Amino acid sequence: MTDTRTALIIGGGIAGPVAALALRRAGIDATVYEAHAGTADGVGGALSIAPNGRNALAVVDADEAVRRIGVPMTAMVLQSGTGRHLAELGSPPDLPEMLLVWRTDLYRALYTEAVDRGIRIEHGRRLVGVTDTDTGVTAHFADGTTAEADILVGADGLRSTVRTLIDPAAPQPRHSGLISFGARLADSGLPSTGGRMFMVFGRRAFLGYQVLDDGSGGWFVNLPHREPMTAGQARQTSAVRWLEVLRETFADDDRTPALTLLRRTDPAELLVVGPMEDLPTVPTWHRGRVVLVGDAAHAPSSSSGQGASLAIESAVELARCLRDLPHREAFAGYERLRRPRVEKIVAAGARTNRNKAAGPVGRVLRDLLMPLFMRFATPERMSWQFGYRIDWEARVTTAHGLPTSEVRLT
Ligand SMILES: Cc1cc2nc3c(=O)[nH]c(=O)nc-3n(C[C@H](O)[C@H](O)[C@H](O)COP(=O)(O)OP(=O)(O)OC[C@H]3O[C@@H](n4cnc5c(N)ncnc54)[C@H](O)[C@@H]3O)c2cc1C
């Protein structure tokens, strides 16, 4: 039975508001504390919400809000830089469609959903310390204020402070060797892609793009860059210069629309998203009354297409565990239910990154083998990833001292 009535959630990004909504559904009152003084409108590039992410959003009645701001992706078409068709991966049947969303719109949709339902989100509250006792947990903020509750949830992203507070030896994010760019275009100059996202493994960089029926659209590029570089360092180079670099990079991929998209991009619209990073494994997910969720616990690279979806799933699963078990058992049960799945997806994202940054020999092998490999990526084989569904009604129980659950995995 639960012993949790109140929670402090650190981080008001994607996982934070969803965790607050899910905890509310579990009967636990949560307040979100966000470091930034303002909201994160206008920041970030494109990302996908996979069918499994939408299933988890439905548990907290937030799927409709996200569907409204998303563009359906009915299939992913993989091409080489020579324009050769490598494979097409259709949306799994009987599942919600995959959505292409801009991080700023996703953030705003979840933020509004939470605030409209009475969740408190306090800005300018940067967590710097935690005091954990037998009876509760106290968060210490940079402005000298504190807050208390039964538990603290670290939803503070890839560079989580909570993660290092519960384990000073926690790993740091790993550079994938790629940096990411993107832009939205009011007029792409290209015909509609018919709901399909095209993924081009160019000779020297990777391009994804989708064009809507009205000719508007968006693109993202993953550019190999061996040296680690922070987003701040990447943004010191002007957008004009980056666009020149990207055009030079795709100069030989003239059988793809890369150059059209780049030429149509106004430098003011270029999003320098920054380095693509991941966290292969985070050894400690919880300590005492403190637990991690989202990128703080498991950060796949954006190549997985699952970062936000996994963060949403974990937020819902954590709340379900806390609904049914005292916090210690709940945290252990949550980790047991989540860790194998998220680490498998993190590893898959890292493999995709290696394909995107392939050298000349790797590129030839990739283009030869990918069509064969993709034949096995049938909807049935992908159902472990996309068909995942958290059964909110199922009780999480402990048997033989280990948390168990009636959760359905497909
Ligand atoms: C501004 C921004 C832009 C992004 N753009 C993209 C993108 O273009 N493409 C992509 O794939 N992913 C992007 N991401 C990452 C993406 O949102 C996450 O990978 C994923 O959705 C998981 O979300 P999360 O809530 O775990 O982490 P995040 O979305 O990173 O949210 C973490 C939140 O915690 C806050 N925070 C951090 N430290 C503290 C602290 N000490 N105290 C209080 N609050 C703290 C942060 O300000 C942030 O709001 C972006 C993240 C951010 C913050």
Side-chain angles (χ1 to χ4, degrees):
M1 194 179 153
T2 187
D3 61 355
T4 307
R5 298 212 331 251
T6 55
L8 311 172
I9 297 177
I10 307 303
I14 306 304
V18 177
L21 290 169
L23 287 168
R24 158 82 57 93
R25 187 164 178 202
I28 297 164
D29 183 36
T31 303
V32 179
Y33 297 90
E34 165 57 43
H36 287 283
T39 56
D41 293 303
V43 191
L47 45 87
S48 61
I49 300 293
N52 48 295
R54 293 191 59 190
N55 284 338
L57 284 170
V59 174
V60 291
D61 275 338
D63 181 49
E64 179 52 26
V66 172
R67 190 198 60 75
R68 277 199 294 271
I69 52 97
V71 173
M73 260 195 263
T74 54
M76 280 184 274
V77 180
L78 275 50
Q79 291 184 325
S80 72
T82 59
R84 190 173 147 230
H85 177 90
L86 299 174
E88 178 158 345
L89 183 61
S91 259
D94 309 323
L95 291 176
E97 279 170 321
M98 174 128 23
L99 296 176
L100 173 70
V101 297
W102 291 86
R103 202 258 180 198
T104 177
D105 299 339
L106 175 66
Y107 163 79
R108 177 44 72 182
L110 295 173
Y111 185 94
T112 306
E113 201 64 27
V115 170
D116 285 354
R117 291 198 224 162
I119 305 283
R120 290 188 308 284
I121 302 184
E122 298 193 9
H123 288 267
R125 307 291 294 277
R126 180 175 293 280
L127 181 94
V128 290
V130 172
T131 312
D132 191 345
T133 70
D134 284 348
T135 52
V137 63
T138 304
H140 301 267
F141 298 102
D143 61 3
T145 59
T146 57
E148 290 173 17
D150 294 329
I151 61 154
L152 183 146
V153 179
D156 52 345
L158 188 62
R159 293 194 161 65
S160 168
T161 298
V162 180
R163 187 172 64 227
T164 41
L165 285 172
I166 64 172
D167 177 11
Q172 292 303 309
R174 176 176 69 172
H175 180 51
S176 67
L178 295 157
I179 46 179
S180 188
F181 303 85
R184 288 202 226 208
L185 300 181
D187 178 7
S188 67
L190 293 173
S192 166
T193 55
R196 295 173 300 169
M197 163 72 77
F198 279 71
M199 309 269 199
V200 181
F201 289 88
R203 288 178 180 83
R204 286 185 281 157
F206 178 86
L207 165 79
Y209 69 95
Q210 184 161 349
V211 180
L212 309 191
D213 291 346
D214 65 1
S216 67
W219 61 263
F220 65 91
V221 165
N222 302 151
L223 179 73
H225 196 280
R226 217 173 269 275
E227 296 306 313
M229 181 185 239
T230 64
Q233 286 167 338
R235 287 177 198 138
Q236 278 167 16
T237 299
S238 73
V240 172
R241 178 63 197 135
W242 273 128
L243 277 171
E244 280 169 10
V245 169
L246 295 178
R247 284 185 207 120
E248 286 158 18
T249 303
F250 284 100
D252 297 333
D253 296 325
D254 48 7
R255 292 197 193 154
T256 77
L259 290 176
T260 305
L261 291 164
L262 292 167
R263 285 194 193 107
R264 290 257 171 179
T265 302
D266 184 328
E269 302 293 325
L270 181 73
L271 295 160
V272 182
V273 180
M276 290 167 63
E277 297 171 307
D278 69 1
L279 276 169
T281 184
V282 173
T284 307
W285 279 25
H286 54 91
R287 204 183 75 192
R289 292 177 175 271
V290 180
V291 65
L292 303 176
V293 77
D295 275 7
H298 46 72
S301 108
S302 53
S303 290
S304 71
Q306 284 281 1
S309 298
L310 290 185
I312 293 162
E313 279 182 4
S314 286
V316 171
E317 193 66 289
L318 173 64
R320 194 173 72 95
C321 291
L322 283 162
R323 176 195 66 190
D324 296 342
L325 296 170
H327 71 274
R328 278 176 216 284
E329 284 91 338
F331 292 170
Y334 155 71
E335 178 175 352
R336 180 173 161 271
L337 288 167
R338 297 298 298 156
R339 187 184 277 282
R341 171 171 173 76
V342 300
E343 290 191 351
K344 193 172 170 183
I345 291 176
V346 172
R351 280 195 298 277
T352 306
N353 283 341
R354 285 195 284 280
N355 272 330
K356 289 178 174 178
V361 177
R363 218 160 48 220
V364 172
L365 281 175
R366 176 195 70 202
D367 292 356
L368 275 174
L369 294 177
M370 192 172 288
L372 294 174
F373 176 74
M374 291 305 287
R375 269 198 228 152
F376 297 102
T378 58
E380 295 72 34
R381 282 179 184 258
M382 296 304 286
S383 73
W384 69 272
Q385 193 175 138
F386 295 134
Y388 189 87
R389 197 181 289 276
I390 296 166
D391 185 352
W392 180 261
E393 302 308 326
R395 313 280 317 160
V396 188
T397 58
T398 51
H400 313 299
L402 283 174
T404 60
S405 169
E406 299 150 20
V407 72
R408 248 186 315 135
L409 292 178
T410 56

